Amino acid sequence: MIFQQTHQAPHRNDAANDHPRDYRAAGKRGLLVVLVLIGVQIAIETMGGILSGSLGLLAHATHIVTDAVAICLALFAMWMAERPAAITRTFGYHRIEVLVVLLNAVALCVLASWIFYGAYGRFRGHFGDHDHHLDGGIMLAVAVSGLVISLFAARILYRSSARSISVEGALWHIMADLAGSMAVVVSSVLVLIFDWDIVDPILSVLIGVLVMGGALRLANKVIRILLEVTPAGLDVYLLCSKIEDLEGVTLVHDVHAWTITSDYNAVSAHVVVDPGYQGDIELLMRRIHSAIHKEFDVQHITLQMEQSAIECIETHHVGHLAARSLREIGQAS
């Protein structure tokens, strides 16, 4: 029979709560600074594209507009994620951040496709002898300023990207801009020295490949979260073994591990307690909770303590006993 009903860890305890809030605040500050920077970059590249006659600069300025939209969406998602949970949304609004990142991934795919299409048009124009006069000097000056801004923006976002999937999505947009600025710099130099217009579509294709790669990487992360795949780096077999090594624990079963949003992992498990255990069950539960939280970086933990697994209707097992046996046999041999 079930000895004690589910014990659920607080959303985030006070000691562990400061760091995620600090990361989120730093991420928002970074996004706001970058939003101002790319606003300046849009103005510079639009004016430079008009003065130099460069369609590449105007196209790049258009790309940056999509980055501004992506950053605004990321800020909105982070603001929504801070809203308190309600009875109809017990996990709050954290998954909005995931949906925004999915939208960013789709936008990057569309952007990459647009770059490929533009490059195709440039190739056709080049081989069809449709010349277009460009002012390489203005192109170079504007491209260098855009490159400096993109580098600074990428450096700001990189600090928080590991802790926020929203910031990571915005970072990939900035990295695409950075690659675009580098391509325009190279194109400008080659136009000035050799009058090689063909290099522009070639570099555009390389940029498109980079943008598409970033989009697929983001999409993979989002899909793993939505499918509730075990968080990367979390060894469920080892987690079960650690719990079963504690005095008083006979078996761990019905284990589930998933990610709610970036830097917010969850684990639930049924723990069978030895019927002859004379210790404090509540203390044992806190020890298990502490072990999962500290050793495996899990923030949301739900435990159900049982005296027997016979009447438990949940039959999901992760096969950790077989995996542990194989590991112990390998260590003994």
Side-chain angles (χ1 to χ4, degrees), residues 22-39:
D22 291 343
Y23 292 135
R24 194 178 300 117
K28 286 195 294 185
R29 287 195 299 270
L31 287 172
L32 286 170
V33 172
V34 170
L35 186 60
V36 173
L37 287 175
I38 65 176

Side-chain angles (χ1 to χ4, degrees), residues 66-300:
T66 66
D67 297 344
V69 174
I71 290 176
C72 290
L73 286 173
L75 287 167
F76 170 75
M78 296 176 79
W79 171 73
M80 287 293 292
E82 292 179 348
R83 297 184 63 182
I87 191 64
T88 56
R89 296 179 179 85
T90 55
F91 274 112
Y93 295 82
H94 294 288
R95 283 289 170 88
I96 289 181
E97 183 180 18
V98 178
L99 294 178
V100 165
V101 174
L102 180 60
L103 181 61
N104 273 342
V106 172
L108 285 170
C109 286
V110 173
L111 178 59
S113 301
W114 188 85
I115 292 173
F116 291 143
Y117 179 76
Y120 171 73
R122 290 293 182 90
F123 278 121
R124 288 190 61 184
H126 176 80
F127 292 110
D129 294 328
H130 298 295
D131 293 330
H132 182 71
H133 177 69
L134 300 176
D135 189 326
I138 295 179
M139 284 179 61
L140 181 60
V142 174
V144 169
S145 67
L147 181 62
V148 171
I149 292 175
S150 295
L151 281 170
F152 190 44
R155 183 173 181 271
I156 293 173
L157 296 184
Y158 180 77
R159 301 171 184 172
S160 304
S161 62
R163 292 285 183 171
S164 172
I165 194 172
S166 289
V167 177
E168 183 182 359
L171 175 62
W172 274 106
H173 277 274
I174 298 301
M175 293 300 291
D177 284 338
L178 179 61
S181 296
M182 292 176 65
V184 176
V185 168
V186 174
S187 298
S188 303
V189 172
L190 294 177
V191 167
L192 279 171
I193 299 176
F194 302 106
D195 199 26
W196 286 354
D197 293 339
I198 189 64
V199 73
D200 183 63
I202 292 175
L203 290 176
S204 296
V205 171
L206 296 177
I207 294 170
V209 171
L210 176 63
V211 172
M212 186 66 74
L216 293 178
R217 179 179 174 181
L218 282 176
N220 179 60
K221 283 193 171 185
V222 171
I223 290 172
R224 287 178 60 89
I225 292 175
L226 295 178
L227 293 180
E228 297 187 336
V229 176
T230 300
L234 178 58
D235 188 337
V236 178
Y237 293 152
L238 181 60
L239 183 147
C240 293
S241 297
K242 288 280 188 180
I243 297 175
E244 290 174 350
D245 286 340
L246 294 174
E247 181 185 0
V249 177
T250 301
L251 175 69
V252 179
H253 70 111
D254 194 42
V255 180
H256 296 273
W258 68 101
T259 299
I260 297 172
T261 188
S262 53
D263 197 35
Y264 191 9
N265 297 329
V267 165
S268 67
H270 290 203
V271 181
V272 180
V273 180
D274 185 349
Y277 180 63
Q278 300 297 319
D280 188 333
I281 301 296
E282 182 67 26
L283 179 59
L284 174 61
M285 184 181 293
R286 288 201 297 269
R287 290 174 62 193
I288 297 173
H289 177 278
S290 178
I292 295 175
H293 175 68
K294 293 180 179 179
E295 297 186 37
F296 298 92
D297 192 28
V298 176
Q299 292 74 37
H300 191 90

